[in-house]
Every structure is written in structure tokens, then in C-alpha cells.
Amino acid sequence: MNILLAVCGSMAIGPNLISMLRDIDYVNKIVGIDIDLENPGRFLVDTFHQAPKTNNKSYINFVKNICKIEEVDAILCTSTQNSLIPLKKHEKEFNDLGVLIPGTNLDDLLIANDKGSMLKKLSSLKIKCPDYCIPKTKRDFDYFIDKHNEVVVKPRISSGSRGFKILEKKYVNDNQNIFDKLNNSPKMNSDEYKKIIVKNNNLSDIVMMERLYGQDYSIYSLADKGNPLVTIPFKRLNSKEGISLKSEVDMNIDVINYVNKIIKSMNLDWIVNLQLFLTDDGIPYIYEINPRVAGSIILTKGANCNILKYGLDLISNKKLNINKPLYSKMIRYYTEVLV
């Protein structure tokens, strides 16, 4: 099997995926594409091609041409917005070339990737979610702020910690200017945030959630069209800018049942990553779905339950022999690529 890795320069995901693919005996060649010519991932794959931006009209034809040249069998995406969604919109064209793009179907994918739409759908299905608001007006914004002591805001479509803020009514770090607060500080005054977001006409592009307290979890699942095949929860013991630096397996049955219910309700397919808080009362509350492979997938290999391999086995119509997950702990340690 020849694999095309889209956005191979992803710092948190690319090296993990490449190393895991190397250990799968039937993976013959790893091809990487990325808009950045000097991304470190290009030196780890077998062949590399610099790609145009995904919003460029030539992008799809570029990827199709690379698939023909490199005899690609499947495309794995490390970014939902910058590879998976654009490619899924043309999935039939790739399938006609014999190329698979594993993942959730486009309609359900778009809902799962939009934090506001995701929470709205799950709430309508009576699945427990944090209290949230998709503000349409300043009045909506103010009402939700007044309702909670602390509020988390994030762009409805984003990844990692991009745009993440904790809003408080009181003034935070008054010696900073508004620009610094919005771009660098995790906390800021709610009125100042509102002024900036309204000025940029982005009010409805954010989702507001009550701030959750408890144990943060990142969960990996392999699903077959809404049917969860294996689900492995990991405690996030230390994270920075949305990336887990230290995690460990915790097969909490309440978390597993909750996640499996979401997978069925959202019709999620193939490898997905979900993030949630388990409150001190033992109640799980989802706050994000990454409907793709994510950075800490290598933990599943450490748990002797390699979800990446099982996912490739699934799309290759191989017999699935899924191991029971074992305890494993990951401590992330960065290194360099010298060229």
C-alpha cells in the first residue's frame, strides 16, 4: 500500500504518523505533500511534493496528479480544514482513480468539525454537553457572560488552542494592550474581547462554553460508519497549546460509553479523536471532535492496540484482530531533523 500524507509538515502529528506507518509491513511507500517546502516532514517521507494552498483552484488536480504518479492507494489527512474537507468534497473523483480517503462522510464531517454545530446536534439528541452559546448579538454574548463566572471562547472552526480564550468580567492584566490580550494571553476581560470580535464582524463565528473543571481526556476511536470498534481514553496530564505533552491510558467505562454514544449519534467513521472533561462528579462533557488522526495517536501503539494499523486493515478489507488496550504512558520529547 502506498500512502499519501497530506500536510505532512504537521509538527504534532506528522512524525508520529510516519514512524507508525514505517512499522506496518504492507505499507510500501509514504508520499508527503505540504505547502511549506522546508517542513521537516518532507525529509522523513519517501517522496515529497510541494503543494499549492487548498483554496487554490489547482489543488485538487495537483493531488490527483500526485496520486497517479506515485500510485497512491489511500490519503491520510493531518488537518481537517486544510486537507480532509477539501479532498472529501471530491472523494468520488479520487475513488474513480482507485484512491481511498478514509474518514467520516462529508455532511457529518462538516457538523463534527464545527464546534457550534456539533454541540447543537448533540444537545438536540439529549446527549450531555456543556452549557454553550453561539452568539448572534451582543445581547446574547452579554447574557451568557452574566450566566457564568468564567466562559471559554473559541472559533467554531479551529484546531489545537488557536483562538482559545477564558473570559472573565473582571479586568485581567491591565498593563497589556487589547491586541496582546487577544493573541497571547489565555485570559482576558469579556468586554474587551467583545469589542474586538464585534469590530471584526466575527461574533457568530465563535462558540461560548461554560468553563469545565475536572480531568481532561483525549480519546481515540476506530469506527465503521457509526459503529465503534475500539475506543481508548487517555488522560491529558500535561498539555500546551492544545498538544498533549504527557498522557496515559485510562479505560474509564463511563467515558467509553459516552464517546461510543457520540460516535453513533454523529455517524463518525474511521479514526476519530474526541476531547472532553470528566467532572469531579464523574460526568463527561465533550468540548471538541477532531474527525481525523491527531497528535497522540502513537499512544494507541504503546497500548498494544494500534488504531492506525487497524484503520488501514479496515479499508484494506483485512481481518481485524483488535487487542485489548493495555496501560501505557506517553511523555512527548521533541527532536530535530538535520538536513
Side-chain angles (χ1 to χ4, degrees):
M1 175 179 280
N2 295 331
I3 300 293
L4 174 65
L5 192 57
V7 194
C8 70
S10 171
M11 294 291 286
I13 308 173
N16 282 342
L17 274 182
I18 294 168
S19 67
M20 292 176 74
L21 288 170
R22 294 285 183 211
D23 290 337
I24 299 175
D25 56 9
Y26 58 80
V27 172
N28 177 56
K29 179 170 60 174
I30 306 171
V31 181
I33 61 172
D34 200 286
I35 63 172
D36 181 6
L37 186 61
E38 293 193 354
N39 76 85
R42 69 163 294 183
F43 302 103
L44 301 177
V45 296
D46 297 311
T47 59
F48 173 79
H49 302 268
Q50 186 178 19
K53 292 183 178 180
T54 52
N55 59 2
N56 189 303
K57 292 181 179 179
S58 66
Y59 178 76
I60 295 300
N61 285 334
F62 164 82
V63 180
K64 288 198 293 186
N65 189 48
I66 296 302
C67 288
K68 293 174 185 176
I69 293 172
E70 302 288 359
E71 299 180 330
V72 169
D73 298 296
I75 302 175
L76 305 189
C77 300
T78 66
S79 169
T80 309
Q81 197 64 23
N82 293 323
S83 56
L84 185 56
I85 290 176
L87 293 172
K88 277 287 187 178
K89 290 179 178 178
H90 298 266
E91 185 170 20
K92 186 179 184 304
E93 299 171 40
F94 285 94
N95 290 167
D96 290 343
L97 296 175
V99 179
L100 299 174
I101 307 176
T104 302
N105 75 79
L106 182 60
D107 290 340
D108 293 318
L109 175 64
L110 292 172
I111 295 173
N113 189 53
D114 183 322
K115 296 170 186 62
S117 298
M118 177 267 292
L119 290 170
K120 186 176 181 179
K121 179 169 182 176
L122 292 178
S123 296
S124 70
L125 297 172
K126 309 301 181 185
I127 294 176
K128 291 179 181 177
C129 294
D131 191 18
Y132 74 97
C133 174
I134 304 169
K136 295 181 180 179
T137 65
K138 289 186 284 185
R139 180 176 293 181
D140 294 339
F141 184 97
D142 291 338
Y143 174 81
F144 198 77
I145 290 291
D146 290 337
K147 189 177 178 182
H148 298 281
N149 292 325
E150 290 183 315
V151 169
V152 169
V153 292
K154 198 172 185 182
R156 290 172 59 176
I157 298 175
S158 65
S159 61
S161 62
R162 294 177 181 87
F164 171 84
K165 289 290 168 188
I166 300 169
L167 302 186
E168 297 179 339
K169 290 291 288 183
K170 66 181 181 180
Y171 279 81
V172 182
N173 296 329
D174 285 335
N175 59 326
Q176 289 184 310
N177 62 45
I178 294 175
F179 179 84
D180 287 339
K181 289 177 183 177
L182 186 60
N183 290 276
N184 300 314
S185 174
K187 284 189 177 183
M188 69 181 298
N189 171 258
S190 58
D191 287 335
E192 292 181 352
Y193 180 89
K194 181 178 63 175
K195 288 177 185 177
I196 298 171
I197 210 77
V198 169
K199 181 180 179 180
N200 294 329
N201 298 314
N202 292 333
L203 194 60
S204 62
D205 292 338
I206 65 169
V207 60
M208 308 173 71
M209 288 185 286
E210 62 174 313
R211 188 177 184 186
L212 299 170
Y213 290 91
Q215 177 60 56
D216 195 4
Y217 277 84
S218 182
I219 301 97
Y220 267 102
S221 291
L222 175 65
D224 185 9
K225 298 178 178 62
N227 176 36
L229 302 177
V230 60
T231 295
I232 312 177
F234 303 107
K235 287 182 178 179
R236 287 158 61 98
L237 304 179
N238 184 12
S239 61
K240 183 178 181 181
E241 297 178 351
I243 299 172
S244 295
L245 300 180
K246 187 183 295 184
S247 301
E248 66 179 11
V249 173
D250 177 28
M251 298 298 289
N252 184 299
I253 192 63
D254 293 328
V255 171
I256 292 171
N257 290 339
Y258 177 74
V259 167
N260 288 347
K261 188 175 181 180
I262 290 173
I263 288 172
K264 293 175 184 177
S265 300
M266 299 287 291
N267 194 33
L268 299 177
D269 190 28
W270 209 58
I271 296 172
V272 292
N273 171 252
L274 299 89
Q275 295 179 348
L276 60 83
F277 271 97
L278 186 69
T279 67
D280 294 336
D281 296 330
I283 302 174
Y285 287 99
I286 189 166
Y287 63 87
E288 187 163 328
I289 295 177
N290 297 305
R292 53 163 173 78
V293 291
S296 52
I297 190 171
I298 198 164
L299 247 175
T300 68
K301 180 181 175 183
N304 196 35
C305 189
N306 190 333
I307 281 182
L308 179 61
K309 182 181 185 303
Y310 298 150
L312 293 180
D313 288 346
L314 182 64
I315 64 173
S316 303
N317 296 316
K318 298 181 184 296
K319 184 178 179 181
L320 288 180
N321 294 301
I322 298 177
N323 295 329
K324 182 179 178 181
L326 304 176
Y327 174 80
S328 179
K329 187 173 184 177
M330 176 194 76
I331 302 173
R332 179 165 269 132
Y333 182 73
Y334 291 107
T335 187
E336 292 74 35
V337 176
L338 301 178
V339 297

